[in-house]
Amino acid sequence: MAFYQRLRDLREDKDLTQKQVAEIINTTYQYYSKYEAGIRPITFERVIELAKFYDVSIDYIAGLTNDKRKFW
């Protein structure tokens, strides 16, 4: 699924580790790594946090568009 790959790509584009992103969104490394692997469902609130952090649209993270621009 594009969603999980997008999370990983965004993180890697910023040269961050999973642990660093987990700390930024106030979760554990274990939870975050499972988000990227598609093992654990991610809450909408977390998606919003990640979209704000990466400065991209939620649609981009969800794989609905390749346009990174946010619309808020």
Side-chain angles (χ1 to χ4, degrees), residues 27-72:
T27 192
T28 65
Y29 159 75
Q30 290 83 0
Y31 267 46
Y32 185 79
S33 67
K34 290 177 182 178
Y35 293 155
E36 277 193 15
I39 296 169
R40 183 169 192 81
I42 188 168
T43 65
F44 191 65
E45 289 80 12
R46 291 273 189 234
V47 174
I48 292 169
E49 288 178 68
L50 289 165
K52 287 180 178 180
F53 173 72
Y54 290 123
D55 197 31
V56 297
S57 72
I58 294 168
D59 287 348
Y60 178 78
I61 290 177
L64 299 175
T65 182
N66 289 325
D67 187 350
K68 290 183 179 183
R69 291 178 294 170
K70 55 186 179 182
F71 299 101
W72 64 83

Side-chain angles (χ1 to χ4, degrees), residues 9-17 20 53-55:
D9 291 345
L10 286 165
R11 176 180 57 78
E12 290 177 346
D13 287 348
K14 289 206 177 259
D15 295 322
L16 296 169
T17 65
Q20 289 171 314
F53 173 72
Y54 290 123
D55 197 31

